Amino acid sequence: MAWNTLIVDKRDGIATITLNRPDRLNALNSELMTELGKALDEIDADAAMRCLLLTGAGRGFCSGADLASGDLNNDGGMPDLGKALHDKYHPVIRRLAAYRMPVVCAVNGPAAGAGMSLALTGDIVIAAQSATFLQAFANIGLVPDAGSTYFLPRLAGTARALGLTMLGEKLPAETAAAWGLIWQCVPDEELMPAAMKVATKFATGPTVGLAQIRKLIRQSATNGLDAQLEAEREAQVVAGRTRDFIEGVTAFLQKRAAKFSGK
Protein backbone atom coordinates (compact mmCIF):
# COMPACT_ATOMS: atom_id res chain seq x y z
CA MET A 1 0.00 0.00 0.00
CA ALA A 2 1.16 3.54 -0.77
CA TRP A 3 1.26 5.82 2.25
CA ASN A 4 0.95 9.61 2.20
CA THR A 5 1.65 10.35 5.87
CA LEU A 6 3.67 7.33 6.98
CA ILE A 7 6.76 5.38 6.10
CA VAL A 8 6.24 1.68 6.74
CA ASP A 9 9.21 -0.66 6.64
CA LYS A 10 9.06 -4.39 7.42
CA ARG A 11 12.20 -6.47 7.75
CA ASP A 12 13.70 -9.10 10.04
CA GLY A 13 10.52 -9.38 12.06
CA ILE A 14 10.43 -5.67 12.88
CA ALA A 15 7.74 -3.39 11.47
CA THR A 16 8.81 0.26 11.66
CA ILE A 17 6.19 2.97 11.29
CA THR A 18 7.57 6.47 10.88
CA LEU A 19 5.12 9.34 11.18
CA ASN A 20 5.94 11.32 8.05
CA ARG A 21 4.70 14.90 8.14
CA PRO A 22 8.01 16.50 9.14
CA ASP A 23 6.99 19.96 7.93
CA ARG A 24 4.23 19.88 10.59
CA LEU A 25 6.33 18.11 13.25
CA ASN A 26 4.29 15.02 12.36
CA ALA A 27 1.09 16.59 13.64
CA LEU A 28 -1.89 14.25 13.63
CA ASN A 29 -4.62 14.86 11.07
CA SER A 30 -7.49 12.71 9.87
CA GLU A 31 -5.48 11.19 7.02
CA LEU A 32 -2.55 10.22 9.24
CA MET A 33 -4.78 8.61 11.87
CA THR A 34 -6.66 6.67 9.20
CA GLU A 35 -3.42 5.47 7.63
CA LEU A 36 -1.99 4.58 11.02
CA GLY A 37 -4.97 2.37 11.75
CA LYS A 38 -4.61 0.64 8.37
CA ALA A 39 -0.87 0.16 8.88
CA LEU A 40 -1.46 -1.45 12.27
CA ASP A 41 -3.97 -3.83 10.68
CA GLU A 42 -1.56 -4.72 7.86
CA ILE A 43 1.32 -5.39 10.24
CA ASP A 44 -0.85 -7.39 12.62
CA ALA A 45 -1.94 -9.64 9.74
CA ASP A 46 1.68 -10.36 8.75
CA ALA A 47 2.74 -13.43 10.73
CA ALA A 48 6.40 -12.63 10.08
CA MET A 49 6.19 -9.40 12.09
CA ARG A 50 7.02 -9.79 15.78
CA CYS A 51 7.75 -6.24 16.98
CA LEU A 52 6.41 -2.77 16.16
CA LEU A 53 8.72 0.24 16.26
CA LEU A 54 7.12 3.69 16.13
CA THR A 55 9.05 6.91 15.53
CA GLY A 56 8.83 10.26 13.74
CA ALA A 57 10.48 11.78 10.68
CA GLY A 58 12.58 14.91 10.91
CA ARG A 59 13.16 16.81 14.14
CA GLY A 60 10.03 15.80 16.03
CA PHE A 61 8.17 12.72 17.15
CA CYS A 62 4.68 14.23 17.05
CA SER A 63 3.36 17.68 17.94
CA GLY A 64 -0.17 16.43 18.63
CA ALA A 65 -3.35 17.21 16.75
CA ASP A 66 -2.93 19.47 13.74
CA LEU A 67 -5.03 22.45 14.78
CA ALA A 68 -4.54 24.09 11.39
CA SER A 69 -5.78 21.14 9.36
CA GLY A 70 -9.47 22.02 9.44
CA ASP A 71 -10.34 18.54 10.72
CA LEU A 72 -11.81 19.95 13.90
CA ASN A 73 -14.36 22.25 12.29
CA ASN A 74 -18.01 21.30 12.16
CA ASP A 75 -19.73 23.10 9.29
CA GLY A 76 -18.23 26.38 10.40
CA GLY A 77 -19.65 26.08 13.91
CA MET A 78 -18.20 24.91 17.18
CA PRO A 79 -16.00 21.84 16.75
CA ASP A 80 -17.05 18.43 18.01
CA LEU A 81 -13.74 17.28 19.42
CA GLY A 82 -15.33 14.23 20.98
CA LYS A 83 -16.29 12.88 17.58
CA ALA A 84 -12.74 13.18 16.29
CA LEU A 85 -11.47 11.33 19.34
CA HIS A 86 -14.09 8.60 19.06
CA ASP A 87 -13.70 8.07 15.32
CA LYS A 88 -9.96 8.53 14.77
CA TYR A 89 -7.88 8.52 17.94
CA HIS A 90 -9.49 6.00 20.26
CA PRO A 91 -9.38 3.08 17.79
CA VAL A 92 -5.63 3.57 17.32
CA ILE A 93 -4.87 3.92 21.04
CA ARG A 94 -6.94 0.83 21.86
CA ARG A 95 -5.31 -1.09 19.00
CA LEU A 96 -1.82 -0.30 20.22
CA ALA A 97 -2.63 -1.10 23.85
CA ALA A 98 -3.94 -4.55 22.87
CA TYR A 99 -1.47 -5.27 20.07
CA ARG A 100 -0.31 -8.87 19.58
CA MET A 101 3.36 -7.90 19.60
CA PRO A 102 5.60 -5.63 21.70
CA VAL A 103 5.56 -1.93 20.84
CA VAL A 104 8.73 0.17 21.02
CA CYS A 105 8.58 3.96 20.66
CA ALA A 106 11.67 5.95 19.68
CA VAL A 107 10.96 9.58 20.58
CA ASN A 108 13.29 11.63 18.42
CA GLY A 109 12.06 15.12 19.33
CA PRO A 110 9.06 16.94 20.79
CA ALA A 111 6.13 14.71 21.77
CA ALA A 112 3.22 17.00 22.60
CA GLY A 113 -0.47 16.60 23.34
CA ALA A 114 -1.90 13.51 21.69
CA GLY A 115 1.61 12.88 20.32
CA MET A 116 2.78 12.36 23.89
CA SER A 117 -0.16 10.05 24.48
CA LEU A 118 0.80 8.07 21.38
CA ALA A 119 4.37 7.71 22.61
CA LEU A 120 3.24 6.45 26.01
CA THR A 121 1.32 3.57 24.44
CA GLY A 122 4.69 1.94 23.84
CA ASP A 123 5.82 -0.90 26.08
CA ILE A 124 9.37 0.39 25.86
CA VAL A 125 9.78 4.12 25.25
CA ILE A 126 13.27 5.40 24.49
CA ALA A 127 13.82 9.13 23.99
CA ALA A 128 16.65 11.17 22.57
CA GLN A 129 18.31 13.48 25.07
CA SER A 130 17.01 16.52 23.18
CA ALA A 131 13.43 15.24 23.16
CA THR A 132 10.73 16.84 25.28
CA PHE A 133 7.28 15.82 26.45
CA LEU A 134 4.43 18.30 26.73
CA GLN A 135 0.84 18.09 27.84
CA ALA A 136 -0.21 21.16 25.90
CA PHE A 137 -3.98 20.86 26.32
CA ALA A 138 -4.49 23.30 29.20
CA ASN A 139 -2.53 25.95 27.28
CA ILE A 140 -5.37 26.12 24.74
CA GLY A 141 -8.25 25.54 27.13
CA LEU A 142 -8.67 21.80 26.57
CA VAL A 143 -8.29 18.67 28.66
CA PRO A 144 -5.79 15.85 28.10
CA ASP A 145 -7.04 13.16 25.75
CA ALA A 146 -6.00 10.11 23.70
CA GLY A 147 -5.31 8.25 26.95
CA SER A 148 -3.14 10.82 28.72
CA THR A 149 -5.22 10.80 31.90
CA TYR A 150 -4.97 7.00 31.95
CA PHE A 151 -1.27 6.61 31.26
CA LEU A 152 0.21 9.54 33.19
CA PRO A 153 -1.03 8.80 36.74
CA ARG A 154 -0.07 5.15 36.37
CA LEU A 155 3.40 5.91 35.06
CA ALA A 156 4.37 9.04 36.98
CA GLY A 157 1.93 9.24 39.90
CA THR A 158 -0.95 11.60 40.62
CA ALA A 159 1.08 14.64 41.71
CA ARG A 160 3.29 14.62 38.64
CA ALA A 161 0.37 13.86 36.34
CA LEU A 162 -1.49 16.90 37.69
CA GLY A 163 1.59 19.09 37.36
CA LEU A 164 2.22 18.01 33.77
CA THR A 165 -1.38 18.40 32.64
CA MET A 166 -2.36 21.56 34.53
CA LEU A 167 0.86 23.58 34.20
CA GLY A 168 1.47 22.64 30.56
CA GLU A 169 5.24 22.89 30.82
CA LYS A 170 7.81 20.96 28.78
CA LEU A 171 9.36 17.95 30.44
CA PRO A 172 12.94 17.09 29.35
CA ALA A 173 13.55 13.49 28.34
CA GLU A 174 16.09 13.02 31.12
CA THR A 175 13.49 13.99 33.71
CA ALA A 176 10.88 11.77 32.05
CA ALA A 177 13.28 8.84 32.46
CA ALA A 178 14.08 9.76 36.07
CA TRP A 179 10.34 9.85 36.84
CA GLY A 180 9.76 6.43 35.29
CA LEU A 181 7.57 7.93 32.59
CA ILE A 182 9.76 6.32 29.91
CA TRP A 183 12.25 3.46 29.88
CA GLN A 184 15.39 5.25 28.81
CA CYS A 185 16.93 8.55 27.68
CA VAL A 186 19.95 8.27 25.39
CA PRO A 187 22.20 10.65 23.45
CA ASP A 188 20.53 11.74 20.21
CA GLU A 189 22.88 9.79 17.96
CA GLU A 190 22.23 6.59 19.93
CA LEU A 191 18.42 6.73 19.75
CA MET A 192 17.72 4.51 16.76
CA PRO A 193 20.52 2.01 17.52
CA ALA A 194 19.16 1.68 21.06
CA ALA A 195 15.57 1.32 19.84
CA MET A 196 16.57 -1.21 17.18
CA LYS A 197 18.50 -3.24 19.75
CA VAL A 198 15.35 -3.59 21.85
CA ALA A 199 13.17 -4.22 18.79
CA THR A 200 15.54 -6.93 17.59
CA LYS A 201 15.43 -8.62 20.98
CA PHE A 202 11.62 -8.63 20.82
CA ALA A 203 11.55 -9.73 17.16
CA THR A 204 13.57 -12.81 18.09
CA GLY A 205 11.76 -13.42 21.35
CA PRO A 206 8.76 -15.48 22.50
CA THR A 207 6.09 -13.33 20.86
CA VAL A 208 3.05 -14.97 22.45
CA GLY A 209 4.56 -14.84 25.93
CA LEU A 210 5.59 -11.20 25.48
CA ALA A 211 2.07 -10.31 24.38
CA GLN A 212 0.69 -11.95 27.51
CA ILE A 213 3.16 -10.01 29.67
CA ARG A 214 2.12 -6.63 28.24
CA LYS A 215 -1.53 -7.61 28.70
CA LEU A 216 -1.00 -8.61 32.34
CA ILE A 217 0.88 -5.46 33.26
CA ARG A 218 -1.85 -3.28 31.79
CA GLN A 219 -4.59 -5.29 33.50
CA SER A 220 -2.87 -4.89 36.86
CA ALA A 221 -3.69 -1.18 36.89
CA THR A 222 -7.37 -1.90 37.53
CA ASN A 223 -7.45 -5.49 38.82
CA GLY A 224 -7.55 -6.50 42.45
CA LEU A 225 -5.19 -9.23 43.68
CA ASP A 226 -7.62 -12.11 43.11
CA ALA A 227 -8.48 -10.94 39.61
CA GLN A 228 -4.81 -10.49 38.75
CA LEU A 229 -3.89 -13.91 40.06
CA GLU A 230 -6.57 -15.41 37.83
CA ALA A 231 -5.35 -13.36 34.86
CA GLU A 232 -1.82 -14.66 35.45
CA ARG A 233 -3.12 -18.25 35.57
CA GLU A 234 -4.97 -17.82 32.28
CA ALA A 235 -1.97 -16.18 30.61
CA GLN A 236 0.35 -18.91 31.82
CA VAL A 237 -1.90 -21.54 30.24
CA VAL A 238 -1.57 -19.73 26.91
CA ALA A 239 2.20 -19.26 27.18
CA GLY A 240 2.73 -22.82 28.36
CA ARG A 241 1.15 -24.21 25.21
CA THR A 242 3.56 -22.47 22.84
CA ARG A 243 6.46 -23.97 20.93
CA ASP A 244 8.60 -21.19 22.37
CA PHE A 245 8.06 -22.48 25.91
CA ILE A 246 9.29 -25.92 24.88
CA GLU A 247 12.25 -24.36 23.08
CA GLY A 248 13.04 -22.13 26.05
CA VAL A 249 13.11 -25.03 28.51
CA THR A 250 15.07 -27.22 26.11
CA ALA A 251 17.64 -24.49 25.52
CA PHE A 252 17.95 -23.91 29.27
CA LEU A 253 18.59 -27.58 29.94
CA GLN A 254 21.07 -27.79 27.06
CA LYS A 255 22.76 -24.60 28.23
CA ARG A 256 22.41 -22.81 24.89
CA ALA A 257 20.66 -19.70 23.63
CA ALA A 258 17.00 -20.26 22.81
CA LYS A 259 15.85 -19.89 19.20
CA PHE A 260 12.30 -18.64 19.51
CA SER A 261 9.94 -18.85 16.55
CA GLY A 262 7.21 -16.58 17.91
CA LYS A 263 4.75 -19.50 17.99
Side-chain angles (χ1 to χ4, degrees):
M1 179 175 177
W3 308 98
N4 294 321
T5 64
L6 306 175
I7 300 172
V8 179
D9 178 73
K10 298 191 293 183
R11 66 182 74 187
D12 300 326
I14 302 170
T16 302
I17 298 179
T18 304
L19 307 181
N20 191 34
R21 300 185 71 214
D23 57 319
R24 300 290 300 165
L25 280 179
N26 302 315
L28 306 172
N29 62 5
S30 178
E31 183 180 26
L32 188 151
M33 295 306 293
T34 297
E35 289 197 345
L36 184 53
K38 291 179 179 178
L40 293 175
D41 288 343
E42 177 187 290
I43 291 164
D44 186 38
D46 188 340
M49 295 299 105
R50 295 165 61 186
C51 180
L52 172 66
L53 174 60
L54 183 63
T55 192
R59 60 187 181 88
F61 177 77
C62 178
S63 59
D66 190 345
L67 300 178
S69 68
D71 292 343
L72 304 181
N73 293 331
N74 183 17
D75 297 328
M78 295 299 289
D80 183 351
L81 303 186
K83 186 176 189 307
L85 288 170
H86 179 272
D87 293 349
K88 299 294 183 180
Y89 289 76
H90 292 176
V92 168
I93 298 299
R94 289 192 179 103
R95 193 85 168 87
L96 286 168
Y99 218 43
R100 71 164 177 86
M101 66 188 76
V103 178
V104 178
C105 287
V107 182
N108 55 306
M116 180 175 175
S117 303
L118 187 62
L120 295 184
T121 62
D123 303 308
I124 301 294
V125 183
I126 302 175
Q129 197 166 30
S130 64
T132 56
F133 296 86
L134 174 65
Q135 286 288 296
F137 302 96
N139 296 337
I140 56 173
L142 293 178
V143 302
D145 61 26
S148 286
T149 60
Y150 178 87
F151 295 118
L152 286 173
R154 287 164 173 79
L155 292 170
T158 300
R160 286 170 172 165
L162 285 169
L164 284 169
T165 55
M166 297 181 73
L167 294 175
E169 298 176 352
K170 289 182 180 179
L171 183 73
E174 288 184 340
T175 306
W179 284 6
L181 194 64
I182 64 173
W183 174 246
Q184 192 177 26
C185 171
V186 299
D188 288 24
E189 65 275 11
E190 296 179 16
L191 175 63
M192 290 312 296
M196 287 300 298
K197 181 178 179 179
V198 172
T200 299
K201 180 178 178 65
F202 287 152
T204 56
T207 309
V208 175
L210 291 171
Q212 293 299 314
I213 290 173
R214 71 193 305 270
K215 179 181 177 181
L216 284 169
I217 295 299
R218 292 177 188 277
Q219 286 177 326
S220 71
T222 53
N223 275 350
L225 176 59
D226 287 343
Q228 192 65 15
L229 287 172
E230 178 61 18
E232 290 177 349
R233 185 196 66 79
E234 293 174 356
Q236 202 68 292
V237 170
V238 174
R241 292 174 175 169
T242 62
R243 296 177 189 173
D244 282 340
F245 168 60
I246 302 301
E247 165 61 14
V249 172
T250 302
F252 174 78
L253 295 175
Q254 295 178 352
K255 297 182 179 180
R256 60 172 175 81
K259 298 180 179 179
F260 295 118
S261 63
K263 301 177 181 178

